[in-house]
Amino acid sequence: MTTITLVQGDITRQSADAIVNAANSSLLGGGGVDGAIHRRGGPAILEECRALRASRYGKGLPTGQAVATTAGELEARWVIHTVGPVHSRSEDRSELLASCFRECLRVADELGARTVAFPAVSTGVYRWPMQDAARIAVETVRSTPTDVEEVRFVLFDEQAYEAFAAQLH
């Protein structure tokens, strides 16, 4: 059974088998969590992302999918990159957000990762409402069969932490 834990803090400071990057489809870095992971992880992550773009993901990583690279200088073995959906008031994209978590757990299982640290995917510049994102994340992790022993949600601020904590009760 997978244990779900919550931490308020900086995901780039976590020690885990795999750290999830809320990436953009280019895989070439960006703002928020994505930029922070690329900056702290160093050039090895970008180098592997460029190789992925040159091979399997010429048009970028599709929304809801996940792929792994080295973690570079982070305290992890791997970074699992996933592209969350942009929130829409007119279209239900919940399944795409849930897919991010399922796909990350699938990739983690393929890698043999036992601890995975997730950010609050799609809640930054993609504007997904925190309460709803927390519900989808926790429900998806709870319902997805995996060999991952610990899923750690690393939440940047108190509001995010409280939203996720409310889903665990």
Side-chain angles (χ1 to χ4, degrees), residues 59-80:
K59 294 182 179 177
L61 184 65
T63 301
Q65 298 299 302
V67 66
T69 64
T70 181
E73 298 168 27
L74 297 171
E75 288 186 53
R77 292 179 65 189
W78 303 283
V79 171
I80 301 174

Side-chain angles (χ1 to χ4, degrees), residues 71-156:
E73 298 168 27
L74 297 171
E75 288 186 53
R77 292 179 65 189
W78 303 283
V79 171
I80 301 174
H81 306 266
T82 191
V83 180
V86 174
H87 184 260
S88 169
R89 291 173 188 257
S90 60
E91 179 186 349
D92 182 4
R93 298 179 181 166
S94 302
E95 183 50 39
L96 281 170
L97 184 55
S99 178
C100 291
F101 295 95
R102 278 195 302 273
E103 286 296 302
C104 285
L105 292 172
R106 179 188 60 75
V107 170
D109 284 344
E110 288 175 0
L111 296 168
R114 294 296 171 256
T115 55
V116 178
F118 279 95
V121 176
S122 283
T123 61
V125 296
Y126 289 178
R127 299 180 313 279
W128 205 283
M130 189 62 71
Q131 300 288 344
D132 194 47
R135 177 188 61 77
I136 292 166
V138 170
E139 285 177 3
T140 304
V141 168
R142 282 183 169 154
S143 66
T144 301
T146 181
D147 292 326
V148 171
E149 294 167 6
E150 181 196 3
V151 165
R152 185 180 318 142
F153 288 107
V154 183
L155 306 154
F156 189 71

